[in-house]
């Protein structure tokens, strides 16, 4: 079956960095547009970053210049490097795969930014 498994979340202090990983299985990974979303308590789920099969990237304004999305097709993995983390980045981060009529989600990983 299809699985997206996130890892790398945790508790960090403001200004620190963290890298999230999402390992995909059960799909032809190279075909899929991959995205990271996040959801904080009481808030809507928010699209954070996207990388296409061609390697084009896009980011929500609040993370531009701080976050970098990348992919390693040989490892069927998408990453989110988060630099200069702020308390407002605290959320559950979710990985999404999208191609044609197919959409899959990971289970999420908690990122907490607090002093």
């Amino acid at each position: 079956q299809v699985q997206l498994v996130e890892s790398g979340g945790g508790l960090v202090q403001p200004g620190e960095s963290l890298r999230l990983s999402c390992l995909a299985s059960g799909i032809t990974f190279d075909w899929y547009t991959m995205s990271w979303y996040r959801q904080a308590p009481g808030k809507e789920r928010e699209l954070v970053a996207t990388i296409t099969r061609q390697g084009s990237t896009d980011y929500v304004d609040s993370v531009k210049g701080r976050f970098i999305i990348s992919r390693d097709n040989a490892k069927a993995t998408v990453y989110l490097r988060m630099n200069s983390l702020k308390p407002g980045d605290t959320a559950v981060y979710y990985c999404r795969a999208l191609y044609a009529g197919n959409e899959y989600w990971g289970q999420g990983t908690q990122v907490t930014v607090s002093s």
Side-chain angles (χ1 to χ4, degrees), residues 3-7 20-24 29 34-36 75-80 94-97 105-106:
Q3 283 194 304
L4 303 178
V5 181
E6 299 100 331
S7 61
L20 306 183
S21 299
C22 172
L23 175 63
F29 182 81
M34 303 298 299
S35 297
W36 287 97
K75 296 179 179 178
T77 300
V78 63
Y79 304 96
L80 186 67
Y94 297 92
C95 177
R96 186 197 70 171
W105 291 86

Side-chain angles (χ1 to χ4, degrees), residues 41-96:
K43 295 207 159 198
E44 294 275 293
R45 188 167 294 190
E46 174 188 39
L47 175 60
V48 176
T50 295
I51 184 165
T52 70
R53 61 185 294 184
Q54 297 86 9
S56 298
T57 60
D58 196 27
Y59 304 88
V60 68
D61 286 346
S62 61
V63 310
K64 285 181 179 173
R66 298 191 297 123
F67 290 11
I68 301 171
I69 188 171
S70 62
R71 65 193 296 161
D72 186 337
N73 288 344
K75 296 179 179 178
T77 300
V78 63
Y79 304 96
L80 186 67
R81 167 61 70 178
M82 304 182 292
N83 297 315
S84 302
L85 282 161
K86 305 173 180 179
D89 297 318
T90 296
V92 177
Y93 283 71
Y94 297 92
C95 177
R96 186 197 70 171

Side-chain angles (χ1 to χ4, degrees), residues 7 25 31 42 63 74 81 83-84 91 96 102 104 107-108 110 114:
S7 61
S25 60
W31 297 355
V63 310
R81 167 61 70 178
N83 297 315
S84 302
R96 186 197 70 171
N102 302 119
Y104 304 102
Q107 82 291 342
Q110 177 72 48
S114 177

